[in-house]
Amino acid sequence: MTSSRATLRGRFFHALRRGAMCAAALLAAAACRDGGTGSRDNPTPSISSLDPGALLQWSDTVRVTVTGAGFVDGAVVRMNGSARLTTFVSRTQLTAVVPAALMQTAAPVQVTVVNPAPGGGESGAMALPVEHRVPDLLHIDPAGALHGDAGFTLSVHGTGFTQTSVVRWNGADRPTTFVDPGVVTAQIPAGDVAAAGTAQVTVFSPAPGGGTSNPRVFTVATRPNPVPAVAALTPGTVLVGTDASFTLTGTGFMAGSQVWIGGFTPTTTFVSPTQLQFSVAGGALATGGFTQVHVVNPTPGGGQSNSVQLRVDNPAPTITVVTPSQAPIGGDSLVVRITGTGFVPGIIGTVHGLAVTTRRLSATELDMVLEAARLTMTGTYTIRVRNPQPGGGDSNPLTLSLVNPVPVLQSISPSQGDAGLDSLVVRLTGSGFLPGTVARFEGASRVTRYVSGTALDVVLTAADLDEPGTFSLTAFTGTPGGGTSAAATLTLAAPMPVLSELPSSGASAGRGGFPLVVHGSGFLPTSVVQWNGVARTTRYISSTRLEISVASGDVAAPGTAVLTVHTPGVGTSAARTLTARTVGAAAITSTRTVDLPAGDVVYDPHSGRLYASIRASADAHANSVVAIDPLTGAVVDEVGVGSNPGRLALSDDGSTLWVAMEGTGEVRRLSLPGLSLGTAFSVDPDRVEDMRVMPGHPGTLAVARRNTCCSPAHEGVVIFDDGVPRPVATPGHTGSNTIAFGGTGAVLYGYDTGTSSAALYTMRVDAGGVSIVRATGGFNLGYWLQYAAGRLYARASVVDAGRLVSVGSFAGGYGSSVAVDAALGRAFLVDMWDNALEVFDLNTFQLLGSESLGGMTGGHLVRWGTDGLALSDGSQIHILRTAIAGP
């Protein structure tokens, strides 16, 4: 470090002063060296005391404080000549560590202090005594003996024992061996335990230190009675409930020995140290099995012997009466009372060797419970009872006959109904019904479904229900037993006919007559269809379908016909009208093309708009739903919805539009007419194959799912309520690829386009979800399935939805999709082979006209307005108007 000049001058004058002082002290002490800087010799140290003043043998390391004079920093404490770890405290005090090795024996440790050079030296030694501890006796092993035992080695455990410690017995030394500071052993002669009593055991350690430990008591106890041992029991087997006398042989028996048999003690007779006798009354051996027998000798000593087994055998039972001896089958259970002898606890009843639930009432009575599973077949059953082992066994056999019960009919539901139904399921409620019980209608058997022992369902056909009246229903069960129940009555009233709809409300004037099937309910074989009030020859098809022939003259000219259904003696339905119209030219009067690739197009009659989902590949409006004015072809609104939108589903009230995303599997709700985004949910990893909104429920959506990996790709139909799935769904892989609701939300139709089954599915929709009711094969419907006025349409095929029968096809047509106008009475198809728009009559299925589509290709066809059609071919949307599509 660099100093200033002032500092250097200060140090110079300081050195002069120090030099003067050194010169003045020259005679008294050391000389000055090196310009006044010198060194004084260290003094020779001395020790005056040590703290602690003594150490205890077997201690761990101990820190000792050395007090004295002349100590310098660097002084070292030596113990027995060896330097120890030293801490300088002051010129009069040091501390040092005494290692445990110096405290193993009671020999003093010599302590000195050495100051280092110059000067210095070693102090005189001071002894630090190492003394024996006062022993502490913790426990002795053994702590006692029996009088008369032989001599033994006593282990004494404690602390502070030394090599010179001695074990003392009542103050007298005994030969002692040092094991370690915590254990010494002593030899105790037999004379020390010759008599019962107690002795004081101590340990003494001599000086230096040392002393006598605390005492421990050694107890010499009186020798106890022997523990008995049992060798044999005679006899070893007795019969349950009988009196018996027994002899036990063994060793160690004495007066006062007590026999124990199971949980009681019979009176015991001492015969000799090797033999005891006892007797047992029969009531004490009331249960068969194996009982343990042992002997207990009294204290002092004594105790329990080993055990031997006494076998108590059960008797073989006998049975004399089975009540009842005959019973009807089909009950929930049957209690059979058995009377006999030798019934013991644990007894079981058997039927054909199989155990049944059994309740023992006494030694002569028990109840057997036959559960419903054993009461299903007629026949003779072998009854036995079986006592458990040991002994025991099966009784003699008796028989129980099971026969069919006479059925009891209490009520039917419904007990009233309308005549003319296609079918009616009637629930018969009563008792004694079996799977073979048959319901009879007017004495004749009908198809019957067994529900339970108290319920049957009988299916009455249209032939049973074709006229009003009162009819009897009975239940019949065949032999053995069985019989016919009392009758219940079913009353069929003549219903008021209801004409609900015409499959086509329009006809083509001048194009010929046709068969017309009217739809409704309450039709009877006597019902007739009236054309403008005049009854026509009517063919009864079912309670919901009637057919007449419409003559060519009826529709030769434009006009309106009023149709009703009349049932004699009942009344006439409300009217429906059918309008015959002149067929115009099929020419397309205008075409507007919207250059957008649409995944789907729908028309909303409430707003007069077309809505289209625009694919991700579009140059404009990609990944959005757009609203199009069909009159101008202009996009008037749009909203972004997600990745690659596809199928659309429109609610019947025009308030809601659902759109499915092919890119993500998401489905989103849009509020109309503003295209406001709403609820969204996902069917991922699947995709939406088809979806429809439930009639009257804008938030409820039926979705046909499609996987993206496998074939067949269909993954079942699910009902969603605002995005929440109902629990029940239809199975996947074979099912409804394309779907359509019927006239209500209770029925959903679907067609299988994914496999060769060509099945049309009828599905029930309820609060639990959707389930398949019926699969009908043999149809050729295809995709874009739609429902209109009681019929299902797809491609060129037409199916009566109620009867599930084909009612026609559009001759020559092979459409990619079909647009139906039931009010107009026409269907519009895009013929994929001829690339033409074709128009057909819904009554005659005749081709009314055809127009080439030019550069347009087949795709999804949608009806709009009064004379409009929209065709989406995947790359463009073509908006057409044609006179043949108008009224």
Side-chain angles (χ1 to χ4, degrees):
M1 182 175 183
T2 304
S3 303
S4 65
R5 291 184 178 180
T7 303
L8 292 174
R9 284 198 301 268
R11 290 182 175 177
F12 175 76
F13 287 117
H14 175 73
L16 289 180
R17 287 195 297 271
R18 182 161 181 85
M21 292 171 63
C22 288
L26 184 59
L27 296 177
C32 292
R33 302 179 180 92
D34 303 320
T37 301
S39 150
R40 184 177 297 172
D41 289 344
N42 290 327
T44 301
S46 62
I47 299 174
S48 60
S49 66
L50 300 173
D51 184 20
L55 303 176
L56 292 176
Q57 187 181 7
W58 309 121
S59 296
D60 290 333
T61 57
V62 176
R63 182 171 293 277
V64 175
T65 300
V66 181
T67 302
F71 301 157
V72 299
D73 193 2
V76 175
V77 176
R78 290 181 176 176
M79 297 180 183
N80 290 345
S82 298
R84 300 299 174 196
L85 181 62
T86 304
T87 300
F88 176 77
V89 179
S90 68
R91 294 181 62 81
T92 61
Q93 195 173 81
L94 303 173
T95 63
V97 175
V98 183
L102 295 182
M103 293 176 283
Q104 299 301 302
T105 59
V109 177
Q110 299 298 319
V111 180
T112 62
V113 176
V114 178
N115 278 348
E122 187 171 9
S123 71
M126 178 173 285
L128 179 59
V130 178
E131 300 177 347
H132 294 143
R133 296 176 179 270
V134 176
D136 183 14
L137 199 160
L138 299 178
H139 66 92
I140 56 178
D141 186 18
L146 297 177
H147 77 276
D149 280 351
F152 60 93
T153 299
L154 179 69
S155 293
V156 180
H157 299 263
T159 61
F161 301 158
T162 72
Q163 293 86 343
T164 56
S165 295
V166 177
V167 174
R168 291 178 172 174
W169 181 276
N170 287 334
D173 292 352
R174 293 291 182 263
T176 303
T177 301
F178 175 79
V179 178
D180 59 42
V183 179
V184 293
T185 62
Q187 299 304 314
I188 307 301
D192 286 347
V193 292
T198 59
Q200 297 285 327
V201 178
T202 56
V203 177
F204 172 75
S205 293
T212 301
S213 73
N214 57 301
R216 291 291 172 183
V217 175
F218 186 94
T219 301
V220 182
T222 301
R223 185 170 295 281
N225 294 325
V227 177
V230 176
L233 173 67
T234 305
T237 301
V238 295
L239 189 63
V240 67
T242 60
D243 299 341
S245 296
F246 300 91
T247 298
L248 271 175
T249 58
T251 59
F253 301 156
M254 57 180 289
S257 293
Q258 177 64 60
V259 172
W260 285 76
I261 175 169
F264 68 96
T265 56
T267 301
T268 304
T269 301
F270 173 73
V271 179
S272 71
T274 61
Q275 191 176 93
L276 298 174
Q277 292 181 345
F278 63 95
S279 297
V280 176
L285 300 174
T287 303
F290 294 91
T291 300
Q292 301 299 317
V293 179
H294 63 265
V295 177
V296 175
N297 278 351
T299 59
Q304 181 176 312
S305 73
N306 60 300
S307 296
V308 293
Q309 265 188 354
L310 171 62
R311 173 174 161 171
V312 182
D313 280 351
N314 290 315
T318 62
I319 58 175
T320 56
V321 179
V322 174
T323 306
S325 61
Q326 178 176 300
I329 66 172
D332 292 335
S333 65
L334 174 67
V335 177
V336 179
R337 176 66 55 85
I338 308 296
T339 304
T341 61
F343 299 167
V344 302
I347 192 171
I348 59 172
T350 65
V351 177
H352 289 328
L354 299 177
V356 298
T357 301
T358 306
R359 293 192 295 265
R360 177 181 179 268
L361 305 177
S362 69
T364 60
E365 281 190 331
L366 60 81
D367 284 342
M368 293 169 46
V369 180
L370 305 186
E371 296 178 349
R374 298 183 182 274
L375 303 174
T376 58
M377 295 179 62
T378 60
T380 300
Y381 290 78
T382 300
I383 303 295
R384 284 186 171 91
V385 296
R386 179 183 301 155
N387 275 345
Q389 294 181 336
D394 286 333
S395 72
N396 58 296
L398 292 178
T399 59
L400 169 67
S401 297
L402 292 180
V403 298
N404 291 328
V406 177
V408 176
L409 180 56
Q410 297 171 339
S411 63
I412 63 172
S413 178
S415 60
Q416 295 181 345
D418 288 334
L421 298 177
D422 289 337
S423 65
L424 177 66
V425 177
V426 179
R427 170 65 57 90
L428 279 64
T429 302
S431 61
F433 299 157
L434 301 178
T437 301
V438 176
R440 290 177 169 177
F441 180 80
E442 291 293 296
S445 296
R446 292 291 182 263
V447 175
T448 305
R449 183 171 69 88
Y450 173 80
V451 178
S452 69
T454 61
L456 301 173
D457 283 344
V458 57
V459 180
L460 302 182
T461 65
D464 298 327
L465 308 168
D466 62 356
E467 61 183 37
T470 299
F471 305 91
S472 67
L473 283 166
T474 56
F476 170 78
T477 303
T479 58
T484 303
S485 72
T489 58
L490 171 67
T491 300
L492 297 177
M496 175 66 71
V498 175
L499 176 56
S500 58
E501 61 187 350
L502 302 177
S504 170
S505 295
S508 301
R511 290 299 183 103
F514 51 88
L516 174 64
V517 176
V518 299
H519 298 185
S521 62
F523 300 160
L524 296 178
T526 57
S527 299
V528 293
V529 177
Q530 299 179 139
W531 180 278
N532 289 330
V534 178
R536 292 292 178 92
T537 300
T538 302
R539 184 171 73 90
Y540 176 81
I541 299 175
S542 70
S543 64
T544 61
R545 299 289 189 271
L546 298 174
E547 183 184 69
I548 63 170
S549 293
V550 177
S552 59
D554 293 330
V555 289
T560 299
V562 176
L563 287 95
T564 55
V565 174
H566 175 73
T567 300
V570 179
T572 304
S573 72
R576 295 283 174 176
T577 59
L578 185 147
T579 302
R581 297 178 177 86
T582 301
V583 179
I588 297 173
T589 58
S590 69
T591 302
R592 299 184 185 277
T593 299
V594 182
D595 196 16
L596 292 174
D600 197 3
V601 175
V602 296
Y603 174 68
D604 176 21
H606 299 83
S607 64
R609 290 179 171 184
L610 290 168
Y611 292 97
S613 56
I614 308 304
R615 296 292 196 183
S617 59
D619 294 332
H621 309 293
N623 296 321
S624 67
V625 169
V626 300
I628 301 172
D629 183 347
L631 297 176
T632 64
V635 174
V636 296
D637 201 356
E638 75 169 307
V639 63
V641 292
S643 176
N644 204 23
R647 288 293 280 135
L648 297 173
L650 180 68
S651 66
D652 54 5
D653 64 355
S655 68
T656 299
L657 180 67
W658 293 89
V659 55
M661 261 57 73
E662 277 292 308
T664 61
E666 184 183 55
V667 179
R668 182 173 288 279
R669 182 176 184 172
L670 304 176
S671 295
L672 301 181
L675 290 178
S676 300
L677 295 176
T679 300
F681 65 92
S682 178
V683 298
D684 193 61
D686 298 324
R687 295 296 183 266
V688 172
E689 190 163 26
D690 197 3
M691 62 183 184
R692 300 295 173 95
V693 181
M694 179 183 288
H697 298 271
T700 300
L701 192 67
V703 176
R705 298 174 299 182
R706 165 179 51 84
N707 68 53
T708 59
C709 67
C710 315
S711 179
H714 179 62
E715 290 296 344
V717 178
V718 184
I719 304 297
F720 291 88
D721 296 300
D722 289 323
V724 179
R726 297 184 187 179
V728 178
T730 66
H733 302 301
T734 299
S736 305
N737 304 77
T738 179
I739 56 177
F741 275 104
T744 69
V747 179
L748 184 69
Y749 297 99
Y751 186 71
D752 179 7
T753 65
T755 69
S756 60
S757 70
L760 176 62
Y761 292 92
T762 304
M763 293 169 278
R764 180 177 60 249
V765 179
D766 55 26
V770 57
S771 55
I772 295 173
V773 175
R774 182 177 178 182
T776 308
F779 295 108
N780 182 23
L781 291 172
Y783 208 65
W784 302 109
L785 182 69
Q786 62 178 293
Y787 174 91
R791 288 178 175 180
L792 293 169
Y793 297 87
R795 288 184 179 169
S797 298
V798 184
V799 174
D800 185 316
R803 293 186 294 151
L804 295 177
V805 294
S806 177
V807 295
S809 62
F810 302 120
Y814 191 77
S816 55
S817 70
V818 58
V820 177
D821 190 333
L824 185 64
R826 294 172 192 172
F828 307 90
L829 278 80
V830 175
D831 191 312
M832 294 187 299
W833 303 123
D834 297 334
N835 196 32
L837 173 66
E838 298 176 335
V839 184
F840 291 87
D841 185 284
L842 290 186
N843 300 299
T844 64
F845 308 110
Q846 294 177 332
L847 177 66
L848 300 178
S850 175
E851 178 72 14
S852 173
L853 290 173
M856 293 177 274
T857 60
H860 184 197
L861 189 64
V862 177
R863 182 84 161 98
W864 67 269
T866 59
D867 63 351
L869 296 166
L871 174 64
S872 171
D873 61 11
S875 60
Q876 294 176 317
I877 303 170
H878 306 284
I879 303 174
L880 315 175
R881 300 185 75 176
T882 174
I884 203 171

